[in-house]
Amino acid sequence: MKNLEGKAATIRDVARLSGVSVGTVSRSLNAPDTVRPDTLGKVRAAIKTLGFQPDARAQTMRRRTTMTVGFVIDDIANPWHASCFKAVDTEMRAHGYSLYLMSTNGRASQEAAAIDMLQHGRADGVILTLNNEQDSRTIARLKELRIPSVLLDRELPLEIDAVLTDHATGLRQATNYLIGLGHRRIAIITAGSDIRPGRERVRGFVEAFEQSGLPAPKDLIRSQSLSVDFGFREASALLQMHERPTAIIAAGNRILVGVLRAIQQQNVSIPRDLSLIACDRSDVALLYPGPITLIDRAVEEIGRTAAQLLLERLTGQSSRPAQRITFPTHLILGGSCLPAR
Amino acid sequence: MKNLEGKAATIRDVARLSGVSVGTVSRSLNAPDTVRPDTLGKVRAAIKTLGFQPDARAQTMRRRTTMTVGFVIDDIANPWHASCFKAVDTEMRAHGYSLYLMSTNGRASQEAAAIDMLQHGRADGVILTLNNEQDSRTIARLKELRIPSVLLDRELPLEIDAVLTDHATGLRQATNYLIGLGHRRIAIITAGSDIRPGRERVRGFVEAFEQSGLPAPKDLIRSQSLSVDFGFREASALLQMHERPTAIIAAGNRILVGVLRAIQQQNVSIPRDLSLIACDRSDVALLYPGPITLIDRAVEEIGRTAAQLLLERLTGQSSRPAQRITFPTHLILGGSCLPAR
DNA sequence: CACCGGAATAGAAACGTTTCCAACGTAGGC
DNA sequence: GCCTACGTTGGAAACGTTTCTATTCCGGTG
């Protein structure tokens, strides 16, 4: 609806039409119990005939709050991230917030740019997964950040809330399971040591061997990146080794896609020729001719928790110390592993 | 950086420190060529020492523009949507815009809510894919919408830009291909007639039979929803029919997941027992023990085009009539089809 | 009947920027 | 040397809300 000049009606138009002051109209909207019923009626009638809706820009300006939160990730085409986003979105939306989604495509520069963008009144908070825990630009910006933030699966020497996963235990269990099946040449392909999941997964992997009194197969640890390409490249190389691994742990859901591509290309049969364990459920992991044994975790809960941590800072006056919440993993047996021959 | 009161520096602080007026500071930022070099120097020095950054809330208020666009879809966990989002995001970000991502989870009420949310100064434009082209609430809101919008793969009797796909031709080609392989009992599982892809795909499917002078197998047309569950349910039913189809076209990438689940459960072998054609590339379609023959389309280009259409309205003064741009499909042969026995 | 207290309201300031208009100074042309 | 024109600047209005303070109005009480 428009006023006489053809522009959207403002609170002033409502005030004029209902014969009250702008202050009263504002209170009618935001604190209706402080305004007399008959006045409220007049105001509401005017609002209805004018089709008035408060202007979000002006509210943001005056209230100093945008009701918007940034969600910064590598790549939304990663199904784990997509699920996580959904969980965060559901929780935040229930509290009136909307989400900016920013894909950084694995580039630290875009990460820094995203944080810059979100500052200075564009968002009230951020939830983010860094590509790299060492990038100085990003860390510097995070330290100066004037809005609350939550890290997803990352660890920084800063006072920032974080939601983590106990990857080490997950990998230890998975590796133990394979060792129990008689496997010794077990390979792991995962992220580099520059992010927590990479470090923790390798740690769990090595610990499992140590606890069994076996030497960890150092030549089969491929820890560098979570990308499809890295998974493909390393799996291809592993499968062509002289003393080929009898099992591969594809620790990362994009890595899994690359690994499966290599497996397909080299005509390897799962689980006959090779046992396989994946991380995180995805269409591919659940379907690949038979469900793949995988290290699962509760994405929805993780996302919801991150949102709740942020909401505590956003809505509450709570300025508690930074909190780290760690979620467990669960080994889900599929059909992709057989005893070693 | 903060001013004396511990709050972020404003343009006024900069003006005071550099000894010029706020107007001049503003022009130094937005039209530096209209301010004398020495003045510019003083202002820039002040900006640097104060660490001043303009407040986005105030800019939004004054400029009447948010540099934000809404992207409304069903489900970001759908890989096609995720890819499309990325393309749109890349293009929009290059022009300074950020994206609100709103998942509607297939509910028309959330669709309407999303549009409401985006109005009245929260976004400058919208790109959206509706769950249903008939929902009156959504249509009413779209008609009243005061910001430009672009529809993705949907058709409405409104003056709205749209980016479409020539699904009919794609389906015709795919169906012809199967007919050429000797298949007659060909099933199609796809969206309902309430959205364009559903209508067009069924149309192309039927036309292929007509052109070959064959009767279209009406009992094998399952047109209702794009969900995984629908794909699973219909594929399960089709596979248990007395006169089972010899080929299935899973026309929708979520449908494909459901179909593959049913195939797995009933121990059907592709392509030996059943030929299969999918729509849109996805990890699953490319990997499923061997790439599946699929009807492809250029997601990135589609997303980019949608973004460009919106940008024309956003930046330009162009108020051209609504435009519809249609993209072709391409049949990509995989290994999931064999001649009918 | 005057006064008091509380609830309801009017009015204005404030949020931080952009932009418009007027004023100023300087250089160039006559 | 004066007038004009232009480039540069200062100052103020404006964007549409929320919120604070002051005022009004009412009923009830002394």
Side-chain angles (χ1 to χ4, degrees):
Chain A
M1 193 59 88
K2 316 165 178 196
N3 61 13
L4 292 179
E5 293 90 45
K7 321 194 58 172
T10 74
I11 208 172
R12 254 185 202 86
D13 299 318
V14 177
R16 203 172 308 135
L17 181 60
S18 51
V20 302
S21 72
V22 289
T24 301
V25 177
S26 180
R27 282 183 305 107
S28 300
L29 293 163
N30 301 310
D33 46 320
T34 70
V35 37
R36 263 207 338 253
D38 56 332
T39 312
L40 195 55
K42 283 190 296 180
V43 172
R44 291 204 166 137
I47 287 177
K48 196 160 186 185
T49 68
L50 290 174
F52 168 78
Q53 290 279 109
D55 183 284
R57 290 169 290 235
Q59 289 182 318
T60 292
M61 171 71 172
R62 176 64 224 219
R63 293 178 169 158
R64 318 300 305 153
T65 191
T66 60
M67 297 310 277
T68 292
V69 158
F71 190 86
V72 181
I73 43 163
D74 192 23
D75 180 8
I76 190 62
N78 177 324
W80 196 83
H81 285 157
S83 300
C84 189
F85 175 89
K86 275 170 67 178
V88 170
D89 185 48
T90 303
E91 184 72 16
M92 296 302 299
R93 196 165 299 284
H95 289 81
Y97 288 84
S98 288
L99 265 66
Y100 274 138
L101 176 57
M102 334 196 74
S103 269
T104 59
N105 304 310
R107 277 193 287 267
S109 63
Q110 289 202 31
E111 227 161 60
I115 297 174
D116 283 345
M117 164 77 57
L118 292 170
Q119 271 179 310
H120 308 294
R122 226 172 264 284
D124 299 341
V126 204
I127 295 179
L128 72 173
T129 297
L130 302 177
N131 296 310
N132 176 324
E133 292 169 0
Q134 269 83 49
D135 188 79
S136 56
R137 285 169 300 179
T138 305
I139 294 186
R141 278 171 172 81
L142 242 29
K143 205 183 301 182
E144 301 264 299
L145 199 58
R146 296 169 70 96
I147 54 177
S149 53
V150 177
L151 287 174
L152 274 175
D153 228 356
R154 296 294 183 271
E155 228 172 2
L156 286 182
L158 295 175
E159 272 284 304
I160 298 185
D161 289 337
V163 181
L164 306 171
T165 301
D166 185 5
H167 296 293
T169 300
L171 257 289
R172 207 180 311 122
Q173 283 175 356
T175 310
N176 276 331
Y177 170 68
L178 290 170
I179 291 175
L181 287 175
H183 292 277
R184 294 297 176 270
R185 297 285 295 161
I186 305 172
I188 176 174
I189 308 177
T190 193
S193 60
D194 52 348
I195 57 175
R196 199 187 111 102
R199 291 192 300 274
E200 292 291 294
R201 282 167 174 161
V202 170
R203 181 164 74 83
F205 178 77
V206 170
E207 281 177 8
F209 278 95
E210 283 171 356
Q211 285 170 11
S212 304
L214 295 166
K218 305 270 172 182
D219 61 323
L220 301 182
I221 298 176
R222 307 300 168 92
S223 163
Q224 184 179 322
S225 151
L226 287 169
S227 71
V228 174
D229 284 350
F230 181 70
F232 176 76
R233 195 167 358 116
E234 296 304 319
S236 299
L238 287 166
L239 292 174
Q240 281 168 346
M241 284 177 83
H242 177 65
E243 199 187 350
R244 197 199 239 193
T246 61
I248 292 182
I249 302 177
N253 81 66
R254 304 276 72 205
I255 287 176
L256 175 66
V257 172
V259 170
L260 290 178
R261 243 177 239 174
I263 283 171
Q264 178 176 300
Q265 188 175 303
Q266 300 201 23
N267 238 312
V268 172
S269 165
I270 303 286
R272 208 190 54 204
D273 307 334
L274 181 78
S275 288
L276 182 64
I277 291 187
C279 275
D280 296 327
R281 53 179 82 215
S282 63
D283 289 339
V284 169
L286 295 175
L287 270 179
Y288 185 76
I292 294 172
T293 294
L294 59 84
I295 302 168
D296 198 23
R297 51 179 163 160
V299 205
E300 283 77 17
E301 243 188 289
I302 289 175
R304 192 164 356 108
T305 303
Q308 284 164 352
L309 281 178
L310 193 61
L311 282 166
E312 277 180 34
R313 306 241 180 222
L314 251 28
T315 63
Q317 34 293 43
S318 91
S319 58
R320 47 163 178 67
Q323 206 173 334
R324 294 190 183 179
I325 300 181
T326 304
F327 278 84
T329 60
H330 312 278
L331 188 65
I332 299 186
L333 299 185
S336 61
C337 297
L338 280 184
R341 284 173 295 189
Chain B
M1 191 61 88
K2 317 167 178 190
N3 61 13
L4 292 179
E5 293 89 47
K7 320 192 62 173
T10 75
I11 207 172
R12 255 185 201 86
D13 298 319
V14 176
R16 203 172 309 134
L17 181 60
S18 52
V20 303
S21 72
V22 289
T24 301
V25 176
S26 180
R27 282 184 304 105
S28 301
L29 292 164
N30 301 310
D33 45 321
T34 70
V35 40
R36 262 206 340 250
D38 56 332
T39 312
L40 195 56
K42 283 189 297 181
V43 172
R44 290 204 167 139
I47 287 177
K48 197 161 186 185
T49 68
L50 289 174
F52 167 78
Q53 290 279 110
D55 183 285
R57 290 170 288 233
Q59 288 183 319
T60 292
M61 171 71 173
R62 176 64 224 222
R63 293 179 170 158
R64 320 299 306 152
T65 190
T66 59
M67 297 311 277
T68 293
V69 159
F71 190 85
V72 181
I73 43 163
D74 194 22
D75 180 8
I76 189 62
N78 177 325
W80 195 85
H81 285 158
S83 299
C84 189
F85 175 88
K86 275 171 68 177
V88 170
D89 186 50
T90 302
E91 184 73 15
M92 296 303 298
R93 196 166 300 283
H95 289 80
Y97 288 85
S98 288
L99 266 67
Y100 275 138
L101 176 56
M102 334 196 74
S103 268
T104 59
N105 304 309
R107 277 192 288 267
S109 63
Q110 289 203 31
E111 226 160 61
I115 298 174
D116 284 345
M117 164 75 58
L118 292 170
Q119 271 178 311
H120 309 294
R122 227 172 264 283
D124 299 341
V126 204
I127 295 178
L128 71 175
T129 297
L130 301 178
N131 296 310
N132 176 323
E133 291 170 0
Q134 269 82 50
D135 188 79
S136 55
R137 285 168 301 178
T138 305
I139 294 186
R141 278 169 173 81
L142 242 29
K143 205 182 302 181
E144 300 265 298
L145 198 57
R146 297 169 70 94
I147 54 177
S149 53
V150 177
L151 287 174
L152 273 175
D153 228 357
R154 298 292 183 273
E155 227 171 4
L156 286 182
L158 295 175
E159 272 284 305
I160 299 185
D161 288 338
V163 180
L164 306 171
T165 301
D166 184 6
H167 295 292
T169 301
L171 257 290
R172 208 180 311 121
Q173 283 174 356
T175 310
N176 276 331
Y177 171 68
L178 289 170
I179 290 175
L181 287 175
H183 293 277
R184 294 296 177 271
R185 297 285 295 162
I186 305 172
I188 177 174
I189 309 178
T190 193
S193 60
D194 52 349
I195 56 175
R196 198 187 113 103
R199 292 192 300 273
E200 291 292 293
R201 283 168 173 159
V202 170
R203 181 163 74 81
F205 178 78
V206 170
E207 281 176 8
F209 279 96
E210 285 172 352
Q211 286 169 10
S212 305
L214 295 166
K218 304 270 174 182
D219 61 323
L220 301 181
I221 298 177
R222 307 300 167 91
S223 163
Q224 183 180 321
S225 150
L226 286 170
S227 71
V228 173
D229 284 351
F230 182 69
F232 177 76
R233 195 167 358 115
E234 296 304 320
S236 299
L238 286 167
L239 292 174
Q240 282 168 346
M241 284 177 84
H242 178 64
E243 200 185 350
R244 198 200 239 194
T246 61
I248 292 183
I249 302 177
N253 79 67
R254 303 276 71 205
I255 287 175
L256 175 66
V257 172
V259 170
L260 290 178
R261 242 176 239 174
I263 283 171
Q264 179 175 301
Q265 188 175 302
Q266 302 201 22
N267 238 313
V268 172
S269 166
I270 304 286
R272 208 191 53 204
D273 306 335
L274 181 77
S275 288
L276 182 64
I277 292 187
C279 276
D280 296 326
R281 55 182 77 217
S282 63
D283 289 340
V284 169
L286 295 175
L287 270 178
Y288 184 78
I292 295 172
T293 293
L294 58 84
I295 302 168
D296 198 22
R297 51 180 162 159
V299 205
E300 283 77 18
E301 242 188 289
I302 290 175
R304 191 163 358 106
T305 304
Q308 284 165 353
L309 281 178
L310 193 59
L311 282 166
E312 277 181 35
R313 307 242 179 221
L314 250 29
T315 65
Q317 34 292 42
S318 90
S319 58
R320 48 165 177 68
Q323 207 173 335
R324 294 190 183 180
I325 300 180
T326 304
F327 278 84
T329 59
H330 312 278
L331 189 64
I332 299 186
L333 299 184
S336 61
C337 297
L338 281 184
R341 282 174 299 190

